[in-house]
Amino acid sequence: GKTRPVSLDSIPVSIDLRRSNPESECPPYHLLLGSDSYILKNDSDQFKGVYGMPLLFRGDTVVMQKREPFMISPGGHYQFEYCKRSAAIVKYIQSLNITPNPKGGPGVLRIEVKDEIPVRAMLSIVDLVQSYDVVNLDYNNQALLKEMSFLEQRLATAGKELEEQEKMVSDFKAGNKVYDMPSSANQVLGELPQIDSKKNENKFKKDLLNLIETNINTPSQSDKTEVIPNVTSIGDATLTELVNKYNQLITQKATVLEKGAELDPRLPVLNVQIDGLKSNIKKTIDNIRDVISLTDQSLAKQEQVATAKFSQIPNKDKQLIEINRILAIKESLYTFLLQKKEENSLQLASTQIAKSRIIDDGLGGVKQIPAPLMIYGGAFGAAIALPALIIILVMLTHKKIETRQDIESSSKIFIAGEISDIRKKKYEIIVRPENVLPEAEQFRTLRTNISHLSIHHKYKTLLITSSKSGEGKSFISLNLATTFAIGNKKVVLVEFDLRNPSLSIKLGLENTLGVADFLDGRNNIEDVIHQLDYSPNLFFISCGYPLPPNPGELIFSHRINELFDYLKANFDMVIIDTPPVGPVSDALVLGRWADLSFFVVRQKHTLISTLKLINKLRETNKLPNLTLIMNGITDTREFNYGNDYGYGYGYQPKKMRRD
């Protein structure tokens, strides 16, 4: 009789074929299934196998397993064969048809696979779409991935050098019977780590600049210039902006070349713009190198002064100091590279959450040739499906947090407080002793919730962060600190957003001594604490003036422990305003000194996908005891404001009547 292809899922056994040579093929065999064994045979060969046991078959290995329930169809015979890999690929390509879909909009393609087995066609499309998503995500993150690759290479080299130096120190101590350095040697080494740290940072920047310059100057083989690695680690806003524009133009050019032709009229314009940006990037790199060179010269003079003290130390101790110093330099470099890798990993993770594009695996499902009677049924089904499609489109465009349910459906993290939108008001400080407006009461409710969280644990250091700017993190920090101060707590508010300070500007203290001035050793801690006029219990530490050029490294200062030890000993509450966790990792570093962390999300502003990042931070405990604060609520019907009744009843203080 006639044979017809069947899906592997429809037969009573599962088949696992392990090929020794993907290009091998075999003639057809009859597969006869028994209750405990099976037989493969043709006119010249016969093989008998047992279920669950490997069977060597023409140099390949076949393992067949029973499916439950195991039922053999009466008279059921199967033909077993396989073709070589290249032939299977050719057959698949011939069955694949990809065409533009005008009704779906620009950039939307229609994918069809013609196959005798519809399920196999569907699985082929699913695999194709998943592969496309992976490649598309990697393409969008080329700049970050290039810097990650650069960091991986530098880390591997630095790790190997660190191991070699540690062995050298150990061998020197053992060979010379020297195990401890004198106090004078420790004093000499104590003056050099900051110099060495800055030299490591300059070396990293110069290597990254060389990589960027090499990338620009390398001629392209196919007129497809590659993107430049991410340059945020260099810390120059001008270069970052130029590189971002350059990479955007490179992406546009790649799109033109893929969809158009080499004579496309858009290419000359793009090439002129790219060449102009190349020139500006090179000039900016030269300027940065000049600054680094001046810094290196200054560091060399400082190093010369510090190392001059070596002349007073015995020769053996001097050698030990030198190899220990080299060890410290390599440890500092390795730590610095690890930090940069962590920052890029976090940025890459948040980019994947925010920019990943998942295509519907089904793409309309399996299409059969319709029978005449099915046409009317299809029309009726379309009438039902159209409203459903509209609902699905609304759901797909729903990307930002709008209701409490959006949070609760994606995260189990406790919401400690809900603050309504105050953008229409003219002031930043909502909480005052005499103020009983709804917004002030919401902060009092937040204070109460924090007190409940602190019943079993004494939480006095609170860290407040968000995913990006504009979500009200600093506004929450300021008013929460004021709320505790009004409640007779001695409170200090610390501005640790060293890159983009806003609290000191709001309080008129932007040109005062602050965190940076203490951490770099220029001032004592008492010099940077400022009492605020409007509340005798509230104190403030600004970022400092001028803003530090290396905020990411400054928070690793050895004086930061001294800062938090002092604040915890002298204040009832310490509130830390940190940078957003999306762009930089400062908040994650500062989390080690916090007792309780708050992540601020804003209604109709924060992406729902951000909740994945928050859940990950909670699971990995990178921010201790993480809870949420919902800010900027405009639709009061969707939130409770901390109770079941809200503040819609217009609570106001009663006026006393005088008789």
Coordinates of all heavy atoms in Angstrom, one line a residue, residues 111-152:
I111 N 5.9 34.3 7.3 CA 6.7 33.1 7.2 C 5.8 31.9 7.0 O 4.9 31.7 7.7 CB 7.6 32.9 8.4 CG1 8.4 34.2 8.7 CG2 8.4 31.7 8.3 CD1 9.3 34.1 9.9
E112 N 6.1 31.2 5.9 CA 5.3 29.9 5.7 C 6.3 28.8 5.5 O 7.4 28.9 4.9 CB 4.5 30.1 4.4 CG 3.4 31.1 4.5 CD 2.6 31.3 3.2 OE1 3.2 30.9 2.1 OE2 1.5 31.7 3.2
V113 N 5.9 27.6 6.0 CA 6.7 26.4 5.8 C 5.7 25.3 5.3 O 4.8 25.0 6.0 CB 7.4 25.9 7.1 CG1 8.1 24.6 6.8 CG2 8.4 26.9 7.5
K114 N 6.0 24.8 4.1 CA 5.1 23.8 3.5 C 5.7 22.4 3.9 O 6.8 22.1 3.6 CB 5.0 23.9 2.0 CG 4.4 25.3 1.5 CD 4.3 25.4 0.0 CE 3.7 26.7 -0.4 NZ 3.7 26.8 -1.9
D115 N 4.9 21.6 4.6 CA 5.3 20.3 5.0 C 4.1 19.4 5.1 O 3.0 19.8 5.4 CB 5.9 20.5 6.4 CG 6.8 19.3 6.8 OD1 6.3 18.1 6.7 OD2 8.0 19.5 7.1
E116 N 4.4 18.1 4.8 CA 3.3 17.1 4.9 C 2.9 16.9 6.3 O 1.8 16.4 6.5 CB 3.8 15.8 4.3 CG 4.2 15.9 2.8 CD 5.0 14.7 2.3 OE1 6.0 14.4 2.9 OE2 4.5 14.0 1.4
I117 N 3.7 17.2 7.3 CA 3.4 17.1 8.7 C 3.2 18.5 9.3 O 4.2 19.2 9.5 CB 4.4 16.3 9.5 CG1 4.7 14.9 8.8 CG2 4.0 16.1 10.9 CD1 5.8 14.1 9.4
P118 N 2.0 19.0 9.5 CA 1.8 20.4 10.0 C 2.6 20.7 11.3 O 3.1 21.8 11.4 CB 0.3 20.5 10.2 CG -0.3 19.4 9.3 CD 0.7 18.3 9.3
V119 N 2.6 19.8 12.2 CA 3.3 20.0 13.5 C 4.8 20.3 13.3 O 5.4 21.1 13.9 CB 3.1 18.8 14.5 CG1 3.9 19.0 15.7 CG2 1.6 18.7 14.8
R120 N 5.4 19.5 12.3 CA 6.8 19.7 12.1 C 7.1 21.1 11.5 O 8.1 21.8 11.8 CB 7.3 18.6 11.1 CG 8.8 18.7 10.9 CD 9.3 17.4 10.2 NE 8.7 17.2 8.9 CZ 8.8 16.1 8.2 NH1 9.5 15.1 8.7 NH2 8.3 15.9 7.0
A121 N 6.1 21.6 10.6 CA 6.2 22.9 10.0 C 6.2 24.0 11.1 O 6.9 24.9 11.1 CB 5.1 23.1 9.0
M122 N 5.2 23.8 12.1 CA 5.1 24.7 13.2 C 6.4 24.8 14.0 O 6.9 25.9 14.4 CB 3.9 24.3 14.1 CG 3.8 25.1 15.4 SD 3.6 26.9 15.1 CE 1.9 26.9 14.6
L123 N 7.0 23.6 14.4 CA 8.2 23.6 15.1 C 9.4 24.3 14.4 O 10.2 24.9 15.0 CB 8.6 22.1 15.5 CG 7.6 21.4 16.5 CD1 8.0 20.0 16.6 CD2 7.6 22.1 17.8
S124 N 9.4 24.1 13.1 CA 10.4 24.8 12.3 C 10.3 26.3 12.4 O 11.3 27.0 12.6 CB 10.3 24.3 10.8 OG 10.5 22.9 10.7
I125 N 9.1 26.8 12.3 CA 8.9 28.3 12.5 C 9.3 28.7 13.8 O 9.9 29.8 14.0 CB 7.5 28.6 12.1 CG1 7.2 28.3 10.6 CG2 7.2 30.1 12.4 CD1 5.8 28.6 10.2
V126 N 8.9 28.0 14.9 CA 9.2 28.4 16.3 C 10.7 28.5 16.4 O 11.3 29.4 17.0 CB 8.6 27.4 17.2 CG1 9.2 27.6 18.6 CG2 7.1 27.5 17.3
D127 N 11.5 27.5 16.0 CA 12.9 27.5 16.1 C 13.5 28.7 15.3 O 14.5 29.3 15.8 CB 13.5 26.2 15.5 CG 13.3 25.0 16.5 OD1 13.0 25.2 17.6 OD2 13.4 23.8 16.0
L128 N 13.0 29.0 14.1 CA 13.5 30.1 13.3 C 13.3 31.4 14.1 O 14.2 32.3 14.1 CB 12.8 30.1 12.0 CG 13.2 31.2 11.0 CD1 14.6 31.1 10.6 CD2 12.3 31.2 9.8
V129 N 12.1 31.6 14.6 CA 11.8 32.9 15.3 C 12.6 33.0 16.6 O 13.1 34.1 16.9 CB 10.3 32.9 15.7 CG1 10.0 34.0 16.6 CG2 9.4 33.0 14.4
Q130 N 12.8 31.9 17.3 CA 13.7 32.0 18.5 C 15.1 32.3 18.2 O 15.7 33.1 18.9 CB 13.6 30.7 19.3 CG 12.2 30.4 20.0 CD 12.2 29.1 20.6 OE1 13.0 28.2 20.4 NE2 11.2 28.9 21.5
S131 N 15.6 31.8 17.1 CA 17.0 32.1 16.7 C 17.1 33.5 16.3 O 18.1 34.2 16.6 CB 17.4 31.2 15.5 OG 17.4 29.8 15.9
Y132 N 16.0 34.0 15.6 CA 16.0 35.4 15.2 C 16.0 36.4 16.4 O 16.8 37.4 16.4 CB 14.8 35.7 14.4 CG 14.5 37.2 14.1 CD1 15.2 37.9 13.1 CD2 13.7 37.9 14.9 CE1 15.0 39.3 12.9 CE2 13.5 39.3 14.7 CZ 14.2 40.0 13.7 OH 14.0 41.3 13.5
D133 N 15.3 36.0 17.4 CA 15.2 36.9 18.6 C 16.6 37.0 19.3 O 17.0 38.1 19.7 CB 14.2 36.3 19.6 CG 12.8 36.7 19.3 OD1 12.6 37.7 18.6 OD2 11.9 35.9 19.6
V134 N 17.3 35.8 19.4 CA 18.6 35.8 20.0 C 19.6 36.7 19.2 O 20.3 37.5 19.7 CB 19.2 34.4 20.1 CG1 20.6 34.4 20.6 CG2 18.3 33.6 21.1
V135 N 19.6 36.5 17.9 CA 20.5 37.3 17.0 C 20.1 38.8 17.0 O 21.0 39.6 17.1 CB 20.4 36.7 15.5 CG1 21.2 37.6 14.6 CG2 21.0 35.3 15.5
N136 N 18.8 39.1 17.0 CA 18.4 40.5 17.1 C 18.8 41.2 18.3 O 19.3 42.3 18.3 CB 16.9 40.5 16.9 CG 16.4 42.0 16.8 OD1 16.8 42.7 16.0 ND2 15.4 42.3 17.6
L137 N 18.7 40.5 19.5 CA 19.1 41.0 20.8 C 20.6 41.3 20.8 O 21.0 42.3 21.3 CB 18.7 40.1 21.9 CG 18.8 40.6 23.3 CD1 17.9 41.9 23.5 CD2 18.3 39.6 24.3
D138 N 21.4 40.3 20.3 CA 22.8 40.5 20.3 C 23.2 41.7 19.4 O 24.1 42.4 19.7 CB 23.5 39.2 19.8 CG 23.5 38.1 20.8 OD1 23.2 38.4 22.0 OD2 23.7 36.9 20.5
Y139 N 22.5 41.8 18.3 CA 22.8 42.9 17.4 C 22.5 44.3 18.0 O 23.3 45.2 17.9 CB 21.9 42.8 16.1 CG 22.1 43.8 15.1 CD1 23.2 43.8 14.2 CD2 21.3 44.9 14.9 CE1 23.4 44.8 13.3 CE2 21.5 45.9 14.0 CZ 22.5 45.8 13.2 OH 22.8 46.8 12.2
N140 N 21.4 44.4 18.8 CA 21.1 45.6 19.4 C 22.1 46.0 20.6 O 22.2 47.1 20.9 CB 19.7 45.6 20.0 CG 18.6 45.6 18.9 OD1 18.9 46.1 17.8 ND2 17.5 45.0 19.1
N141 N 22.8 45.0 21.1 CA 23.7 45.2 22.2 C 25.1 45.0 21.8 O 25.9 44.7 22.7 CB 23.3 44.2 23.4 CG 22.0 44.5 24.0 OD1 21.6 45.7 24.1 ND2 21.2 43.5 24.3
Q142 N 25.4 45.3 20.6 CA 26.8 45.0 20.1 C 27.8 45.9 20.9 O 28.9 45.4 21.3 CB 26.9 45.4 18.6 CG 26.3 44.4 17.7 CD 26.4 44.8 16.2 OE1 27.5 44.6 15.6 NE2 25.4 45.4 15.7
A143 N 27.5 47.1 21.1 CA 28.5 48.0 21.8 C 28.8 47.5 23.2 O 29.9 47.4 23.6 CB 27.9 49.4 21.9
L144 N 27.7 47.1 24.0 CA 27.9 46.6 25.3 C 28.7 45.3 25.3 O 29.6 45.0 26.1 CB 26.6 46.4 26.0 CG 26.0 47.6 26.8 CD1 24.6 47.3 27.3 CD2 26.9 47.9 28.0
L145 N 28.3 44.4 24.3 CA 29.0 43.1 24.2 C 30.4 43.2 23.9 O 31.3 42.4 24.4 CB 28.2 42.2 23.2 CG 26.8 41.8 23.6 CD1 26.1 41.1 22.4 CD2 26.8 40.8 24.8
K146 N 30.8 44.2 23.1 CA 32.2 44.4 22.7 C 33.0 44.8 24.0 O 34.1 44.4 24.2 CB 32.3 45.5 21.6 CG 32.0 44.9 20.2 CD 32.6 45.9 19.2 CE 32.5 45.2 17.8 NZ 33.2 46.0 16.8
E147 N 32.4 45.8 24.8 CA 33.1 46.2 26.0 C 33.2 45.0 26.9 O 34.2 44.8 27.6 CB 32.4 47.4 26.6 CG 33.2 47.9 27.8 CD 32.5 49.0 28.5 OE1 31.4 49.3 28.2 OE2 33.2 49.7 29.4
M148 N 32.1 44.2 27.0 CA 32.2 43.0 27.9 C 33.3 42.1 27.5 O 34.0 41.5 28.3 CB 30.8 42.3 27.9 CG 29.7 43.0 28.6 SD 29.9 43.0 30.4 CE 29.5 41.3 30.7
S149 N 33.5 41.9 26.2 CA 34.5 41.0 25.6 C 35.9 41.6 26.0 O 36.8 40.9 26.4 CB 34.4 40.9 24.1 OG 35.5 40.1 23.6
F150 N 36.0 42.9 25.9 CA 37.3 43.6 26.2 C 37.6 43.4 27.7 O 38.7 43.1 28.1 CB 37.2 45.1 25.9 CG 38.3 45.9 26.4 CD1 39.5 45.9 25.9 CD2 38.0 46.8 27.5 CE1 40.5 46.7 26.4 CE2 39.0 47.6 28.0 CZ 40.3 47.5 27.5
L151 N 36.5 43.5 28.6 CA 36.7 43.4 30.0 C 37.1 41.9 30.4 O 37.9 41.7 31.2 CB 35.5 43.8 30.8 CG 35.2 45.3 30.8 CD1 33.8 45.6 31.3 CD2 36.2 46.0 31.7
E152 N 36.5 40.9 29.7 CA 36.8 39.5 29.9 C 38.2 39.2 29.6 O 38.9 38.6 30.4 CB 35.9 38.6 29.0 CG 34.4 38.6 29.4 CD 34.1 37.8 30.7 OE1 35.1 37.2 31.2 OE2 33.0 37.8 31.1

